[in-house]
Amino acid sequence: MVDDLEGISVFLTVAEARNFRVAGERLGVTRSAVSQGLQRLEDRIGVALVQRTTRSVRLTEAGETFYEAIRPSVTQVKGALQAVRETQTRPSGLLRITVSSIAESFLSGTLLAGFLETYPDVKLDITITDDEFDIVEAGFDAGVRLGEVIEQDMIAVPVSSDQRQYAVASPDYLARRGSPGHPRDLPTHVCIGWRPRPDTAPYRWEFTENGRDFDVAVDPAVTTNDMGMMIRMACAGAGITFGMADTFRPYIARRELVPLLEAFCPPFPGFYLYYPKRQRQPLKLRALVEFVRKSGKLSA
């Protein structure tokens, strides 16, 4: 029986990762160990489960059948093991969270520092990214995003008050070039834009007028994926940039930046901690959710 079960976790990880190196990283073993463990499983059952090439790994027809058959059972076993582990009195283990780079109030550290002080046996692994993806498939316990981009089948808990986006520029730039009176004037100005990756178009700046949303495709003189770079360029007088009010607030308070077009920038729902619906949530995640709820929304 033990021999029959040996290698199944390796096979499942390879089937989900479709890559021996990534599977090894998830299992905490070498790529060679993954390959050898899978080979032993295939030898025992007498059928090839994975087709390997120099560039890719894919499941054979038998592998696909085997994967679909065992995945629900393995999920149940993992759930049972987790339930047993959670009989301990305090939450513990690694909690993996993906967070939007613009979730300033959450990333300020105040809430997370308080959580770690309350639950010292929990460790946090936080990935900051603006890419949109399936957090379950990627192995995350939860994520923090703007409410409008969270899938409907997720549970979401607010971690900020309503948000706003601003166009901003330095006093020096405005003295030289003047202020836009309407968002549609922006293409005549020097703009500093954002895009998540080099292969994507710059973000279109979003506004609202008379209850109707619209966007403006500016032609940035500078485009980057780093908000810090955008702010530094704007403070240096290079042009107008656009982003979350939370991000710009300290610079506005010091009069390094001036908010523009505020009448066209109404508030909208803020950031949420979101996670998948499960019959039994990990204790460490339940602890974070409860901590967030008791703390209330983080200040804007």
Side-chain angles (χ1 to χ4, degrees), residues 165-186:
Q165 293 194 101
Y166 281 159
V168 295
S170 72
D172 177 66
Y173 174 86
L174 298 176
R176 288 184 286 112
R177 299 291 300 267
S179 302
H182 191 279
R184 302 198 194 282
D185 297 334
L186 287 168

Side-chain angles (χ1 to χ4, degrees), residues 56-192:
S56 64
V57 174
R58 71 176 183 85
L59 300 184
T60 63
E61 182 177 359
E64 292 283 2
T65 300
F66 188 53
Y67 175 68
E68 294 300 328
I70 66 174
R71 182 174 56 174
S73 297
V74 172
T75 299
Q76 289 180 353
V77 170
K78 288 182 177 179
L81 291 172
Q82 184 67 27
V84 171
R85 294 189 186 105
E86 290 180 4
T87 57
Q88 58 189 321
T89 58
R90 291 180 65 83
S92 64
L94 183 65
L95 190 59
R96 300 188 65 216
I97 309 172
T98 172
V99 184
S100 169
S101 67
I102 56 175
E104 292 286 339
S105 54
F106 188 84
L107 291 173
S108 69
T110 304
L111 180 139
L112 295 178
F115 174 73
L116 289 174
E117 184 177 0
T118 305
Y119 300 104
D121 295 328
V122 176
K123 297 183 183 298
L124 296 176
D125 185 324
I126 301 174
T127 297
I128 299 175
T129 176
D130 294 302
D131 290 340
E132 295 180 21
F133 54 87
D134 185 335
I135 61 171
V136 176
E137 183 178 351
F140 288 95
D141 296 291
V144 176
R145 290 285 183 274
L146 287 171
E148 62 188 23
V149 298
I150 297 175
E151 297 87 346
Q152 293 298 314
D153 60 348
M154 292 284 173
I155 299 173
V157 179
V159 293
S160 81
S161 55
D162 286 350
Q163 299 290 296
R164 293 181 73 182
Q165 293 194 101
Y166 281 159
V168 295
S170 72
D172 177 66
Y173 174 86
L174 298 176
R176 288 184 286 112
R177 299 291 300 267
S179 302
H182 191 279
R184 302 198 194 282
D185 297 334
L186 287 168
T188 66
H189 281 264
V190 181
C191 293
I192 303 163

